[in-house]
Amino acid sequence: MPEKIVLAYSGGLDTTVAVRWLTESRGFDVIALTVDLGSQPDLAAIRNRAMVSGAAQAYVLDARRPFIERFCWPALRAGALYGQYPLATALGRPLIAQLLVEVAIREGASWVAHGSTGKGNDQVRFDVAVGALAPHLKVLAPLRDGMSMTREQEIGYARAHGLPIEVKPQSPYSIDENLWGRSIEAGVLEDALLKPPEDAFLWTSSVDAAPASAALIELVFERGVPTAMDGRAIAGPALVAQLNKLGGLHGVGRIDMIEDRFVGIKSREVYEAPAAVILHAAHRALEELVLDGEVARFKTSAGQEYARLVYQGKWFTAHRRDLDAYVMSTQQAVTGRVRIELHKGNVRVVGRSSPYSLYQPALATYSAGDQFDHQAAVGFITLVGLPVRTQARVQGSAATEPLLEDDRHVVEVGPGAFEGGLAEPVLAPAVPGVVDADLGR
Ligand code: ARG
């Protein structure tokens, strides 16, 4: 009896050839698994292609909802951005890996396979995730582990074996896409100086083509998760799809960055992620309103750690679970409304409110009704400055070179000097030396 292998099948040239190669050269019964994360694939055609290419069975699963709710929402709550990258591809991989494992167990397969190459992060994400969920399963990545064909060889192989591939003119880029974003790399983008050509973008307008007038939207969050837009409750996948469309129209969500891959390579990566960019901006704005300052600061580091961990394929780890528990606890008051303007490539937060807002106009105001105790500030500053004054007295001031004596750009400005144009600023008199005010001498 041939061994069974479950292959993550996109329906593209690489994995279609892999279906036949795993069958013919490796003697497997191939179970193709296609997971829809919102890239709008023709699922019936993909299923058919898998079967015609020699798969023993083909699963096609719509996982858009768990993708958004179980993978993207936790990343959003955490504020997880790898640099500017909202991690669309990186969040999709562990979900696909989990389904590979679950199908393998259901079908009694002892192998799983995926179409990653040996140069990227995706192989790490698949392999590490499978190992975390089912250490007994063996993983094969044909493109890395033995299939080794060039694109031309793959086309020749497909023709010779009657595989149903349409040989479209080769996309100039390598693309991965799901609801949370579209990742574009390779081709001319490898020239880091070159502005990404317009044909790299599919979801977003250029700033020039974006409408002249802004769109204003209002998002409602409940405990850190968006639940309504413009007054209407909306499910996660529909909200994300809608924001991708509207944000894309306004040119929002284009990202162009140099990224540090886990395998040690720096690479130039271009992304389109309108919904993710808008939602992160809105979520951050609401957190500014409701999180205590200390939490806000510490959570920023936690979010960076979270992003690194997701990027590096460590989704199914106790570390992620522990960070999630912390992040969840911070989100108890992240409930409220955020108003956002989308305009010519920009996301602008223009308003926010929450029943848990820590922003108290009576304390913040410069106008009548101020309840802030100004005299308390004097004592506060005396104590904040105490260690600084003590150190200056005992060890000397930490100031650098004097400005007044040494810096030739500090000039004395005589009467009438302003008439001739811009003048250098006048400095206040130098501070007298060390005074032992704290000790009363
Ligand atoms: N650099 C991104 C990441 O590692 C995107 C990878 C996209 N993959 C692709 N086949 N184009 O998450």
Side-chain angles (χ1 to χ4, degrees):
M1 265 259 294
E3 277 196 291
K4 292 181 181 175
I5 190 164
V6 185
L7 167 68
Y9 181 65
S10 71
L13 176 64
D14 288 340
T15 49
T16 299
V17 168
V19 169
R20 178 57 65 88
W21 182 83
L22 286 166
T23 311
E24 211 173 86
S25 302
R26 292 297 183 97
F28 284 110
D29 261 358
V30 176
I31 299 167
L33 166 65
T34 304
V35 183
D36 178 9
L37 298 181
S39 62
Q40 296 173 300
D42 182 344
L43 295 171
I46 290 177
R47 180 173 204 289
N48 186 54
R49 195 173 311 146
M51 296 306 288
V52 173
S53 302
Q57 221 178 317
Y59 277 80
V60 172
L61 304 173
D62 175 355
R64 285 174 294 175
R65 184 134 191 179
F67 176 54
I68 294 299
E69 292 179 354
R70 296 206 212 174
F71 292 80
C72 299
W73 283 174
L76 175 65
R77 282 191 293 253
L81 295 168
Y82 188 75
Q84 305 165 68
Y85 171 38
L87 297 161
T89 300
L91 288 163
R93 298 317 188 190
L95 187 157
I96 298 170
Q98 184 175 350
L99 287 171
L100 280 173
V101 166
E102 291 179 12
V103 170
I105 289 168
R106 182 196 277 187
E107 296 291 340
S110 43
W111 289 81
V112 297
H114 57 80
S116 311
T117 70
K119 274 192 96 161
N121 298 311
D122 289 330
Q123 53 173 343
V124 183
R125 296 167 184 153
F126 278 119
D127 292 8
V128 171
V130 171
L133 296 171
H136 67 283
L137 288 180
K138 288 165 276 189
V139 190
L140 198 68
L143 273 67
R144 178 191 65 192
D145 308 328
M147 196 171 93
S148 59
M149 294 183 207
T150 63
R151 181 179 149 83
E152 287 62 40
Q153 288 170 324
E154 285 185 350
I155 293 170
Y157 184 97
R159 292 229 166 92
H161 290 79
L163 307 183
I165 53 145
E166 335 152 32
V167 180
K168 292 174 272 185
Q170 189 181 6
S171 160
Y173 311 105
S174 162
I175 289 162
D176 179 66
E177 126 180 10
N178 61 42
L179 270 172
W180 203 233
R182 185 165 176 270
S183 308
I184 312 133
E185 54 187 25
V188 294
L189 301 175
E190 287 173 3
D191 178 350
L193 180 61
L194 184 94
K195 179 181 173 185
E198 232 13 70
D199 73 353
F201 301 105
L202 195 65
W203 293 7
T204 54
S205 314
S206 67
V207 168
D208 288 340
S213 52
L216 179 69
I217 57 173
E218 184 176 283
L219 295 167
V220 170
F221 285 78
E222 286 171 39
R223 291 174 178 254
V225 160
T227 54
M229 176 168 161
D230 293 337
R232 296 227 317 267
I234 183 166
L239 172 66
V240 171
Q242 197 169 321
L243 288 176
N244 277 333
K245 221 168 153 206
L246 186 64
L249 173 72
H250 286 274
V252 164
R254 288 190 179 186
I255 295 162
D256 175 355
M257 59 187 272
I258 300 291
E259 179 175 301
D260 288 297
R261 286 195 192 161
F262 197 21
V263 294
I265 302 170
K266 270 195 193 294
S267 70
R268 203 275 184 92
E269 304 281 331
V270 173
Y271 301 102
E272 295 181 280
V277 166
I278 293 167
L279 289 170
H280 271 287
H283 180 260
R284 208 180 304 121
L286 192 54
E287 284 192 332
E288 285 171 6
L289 196 64
V290 301
L291 292 189
D292 163 72
E294 304 238 302
V295 175
R297 184 156 40 87
F298 189 74
K299 186 174 175 282
T300 302
S301 326
Q304 279 175 16
E305 178 70 358
Y306 200 101
R308 183 197 55 79
L309 163 163
V310 169
Y311 187 83
Q312 296 183 348
K314 295 164 185 170
W315 182 266
F316 297 110
T317 58
H319 188 31
R320 201 266 305 168
R321 185 200 59 205
D322 296 344
L323 286 175
D324 262 337
Y326 166 72
V327 169
M328 267 307 224
S329 174
T330 65
Q331 299 297 289
Q332 292 177 41
V334 186
T335 292
R337 296 184 292 163
V338 183
R339 292 189 181 147
I340 298 246
E341 225 172 54
L342 309 173
H343 186 224
K344 291 277 185 193
N346 291 310
V347 184
R348 269 192 301 270
V349 174
V350 294
R352 69 292 272 161
S353 81
S354 166
Y356 308 111
S357 174
L358 300 178
Y359 169 68
Q360 304 290 311
L363 288 175
T365 186
Y366 285 101
S367 311
D370 183 6
Q371 288 173 10
F372 181 79
D373 179 355
H374 292 241
Q375 277 317 300
V378 176
F380 170 74
I381 295 163
T382 304
L383 296 190
V384 168
L386 177 59
V388 181
R389 292 191 302 273
T390 303
Q391 188 169 25
R393 199 171 57 234
V394 176
Q395 300 174 354
S397 158
T400 52
E401 302 80 35
L403 275 170
L404 189 59
E405 301 299 329
D406 289 12
D407 194 313
R408 64 190 174 83
H409 293 294
V410 178
V411 287
E412 282 201 63
V413 181
F418 289 97
E419 276 142 37
L422 273 184
E424 301 276 343
V426 190
L427 273 197
V431 185
V434 166
V435 181
D436 270 4
D438 293 315
L439 301 177
R441 54 189 152 88

